[in-house]
Amino acid sequence: MTAPIPSNSPVRHVIDQLIHKKNPSDLLLAKQLDSIGWDMQDEYLFIKMEYYFISSEFDAPLHHALQLEHLFLESIALKHGGGLYFLLNISRNPALAQYGFLPEFSAFIRESMYKCGLSTPIRGFDNLPYALEQAEFALRYGLAHQDTFWYFRFEDYYLEYMEEQLLEKLPARFVCHPGLFRLMEYDQKNETDLYRTLRIYLQYNDNTSEVARRLHVHRTTLLYRLKKIQEISGIALTDWKTRLHLMMSYLILGAE
């Protein structure tokens, strides 16, 4: 299409249904998407926009929705609460691909006072609820940790999302590698630095020269520490699953 999606398009209602986890039939979805030149298997990007300026003069988000759809063709903006949901069809507008819309979009949200969470590009219109989950997490996590930014991309927070899911039912003590807690206890009793040594060793992919430089110790001292780490913790550093578990554990417990 070369013009904004018609305001009376039933696709707008379908998007709202999917957001609220109501599942219209695939046949109905395909038919309604076809009416605006879209396809079920197109690639989409979903944005949750939270408005930070309260105006009593007029419905600003509704006005902004119209502006957005004119700025970025092959998109649909829906008012939601005090903000907006914004869906872009990347397949139908190549200018939207690879986050090509971000410079203009960033200027718009700064002027209009929005903070935004962006999903990753998703294949399949019926996967919209998953894109919403990504966008909501990106916005929530971003505001909690980098609130000076105007938008937050889920692809920058993959590991943080995984961390949150890991801790949903079990405390960190029952998720993280037990060997790390043994190292912490040993460090506290003996005033050593084995816990941090292992973190840096994993961070720099076994490059003992670089690890020794970072720790300000001789390479011989580092090799002694690594031997001690394996004795105390029982950690098998040659096993890739163990290394992955350790790195996720450090992320959960805090790098320092």
Side-chain angles (χ1 to χ4, degrees), residues 136-230:
E136 287 183 331
F137 177 83
L139 180 59
R140 173 166 54 82
Y141 189 89
L143 288 174
H145 296 85
Q146 297 170 303
D147 65 348
T148 57
F149 291 9
W150 290 96
Y151 66 84
F152 313 96
R153 303 185 307 179
F154 181 80
E155 71 174 43
D156 295 323
Y157 305 120
Y158 279 123
L159 290 177
E160 288 77 8
Y161 183 81
M162 292 171 67
E163 174 189 349
E164 183 176 278
Q165 297 302 303
L166 285 170
L167 298 177
E168 187 174 346
K169 293 184 179 179
L170 290 173
R173 180 87 194 188
F174 301 97
V175 173
C176 296
H177 196 293
L180 293 183
F181 296 103
R182 290 195 285 271
L183 292 178
M184 287 183 193
E185 291 170 6
Y186 186 90
D187 282 345
Q188 290 173 354
K189 289 179 181 177
N190 299 278
E191 298 183 354
T192 50
D193 196 21
L194 301 183
Y195 177 83
R196 188 169 73 98
T197 296
L198 178 57
R199 176 182 67 78
I200 295 176
Y201 180 74
L202 293 168
Q203 182 179 349
Y204 288 95
N205 298 312
D206 308 352
N207 185 337
T208 53
S209 297
E210 179 62 20
V211 174
R213 189 181 74 81
R214 294 277 173 174
L215 291 169
H216 306 292
V217 298
H218 193 275
R219 188 171 178 274
T220 304
T221 303
L222 172 61
L223 294 177
Y224 170 78
R225 285 190 188 181
L226 292 174
K227 182 180 178 182
K228 195 73 176 175
I229 285 169
Q230 294 187 67

Side-chain angles (χ1 to χ4, degrees), residues 45-52 84-88 99 101-102 105 109 114-120 130-143 149-157:
L45 191 141
F46 191 83
I47 303 176
K48 181 176 181 180
M49 304 177 61
E50 199 165 293
Y51 192 40
Y52 278 80
L84 294 170
Y85 286 144
F86 191 36
L87 181 67
L88 302 106
Y99 298 105
F101 65 95
L102 274 181
F105 182 74
I109 60 177
Y114 284 91
K115 298 277 187 172
C116 304
L118 282 66
S119 76
T120 59
Y130 302 117
L132 171 60
E133 171 75 12
Q134 289 185 337
E136 287 183 331
F137 177 83
L139 180 59
R140 173 166 54 82
Y141 189 89
L143 288 174
F149 291 9
W150 290 96
Y151 66 84
F152 313 96
R153 303 185 307 179
F154 181 80
E155 71 174 43
D156 295 323
Y157 305 120

Side-chain angles (χ1 to χ4, degrees), residues 73-105:
L73 297 181
E74 306 297 349
S75 70
I76 292 178
L78 300 174
K79 184 183 175 186
H80 178 79
L84 294 170
Y85 286 144
F86 191 36
L87 181 67
L88 302 106
N89 188 321
I90 298 171
S91 297
R92 304 294 161 168
N93 184 354
L96 303 175
Q98 303 297 321
Y99 298 105
F101 65 95
L102 274 181
E104 191 172 4
F105 182 74

Side-chain angles (χ1 to χ4, degrees), residues 5-20 32-33 36 38 45-51 59-70 72 74-88 105 108 114-116 125 128 132 136:
I5 306 299
S7 60
N8 62 349
S9 170
V11 175
R12 297 177 185 275
H13 177 63
V14 168
I15 293 172
D16 188 68
Q17 283 186 305
L18 285 172
I19 287 170
H20 291 93
Q32 293 183 346
L33 289 172
I36 61 170
W38 288 11
L45 191 141
F46 191 83
I47 303 176
K48 181 176 181 180
M49 304 177 61
E50 199 165 293
Y51 192 40
D59 192 338
L62 188 59
H63 174 68
H64 295 147
L66 296 173
Q67 288 183 305
L68 283 167
E69 290 187 9
H70 279 83
F72 306 102
E74 306 297 349
S75 70
I76 292 178
L78 300 174
K79 184 183 175 186
H80 178 79
L84 294 170
Y85 286 144
F86 191 36
L87 181 67
L88 302 106
F105 182 74
F108 178 89
Y114 284 91
K115 298 277 187 172
C116 304
F125 189 86
L128 188 56
L132 171 60
E136 287 183 331

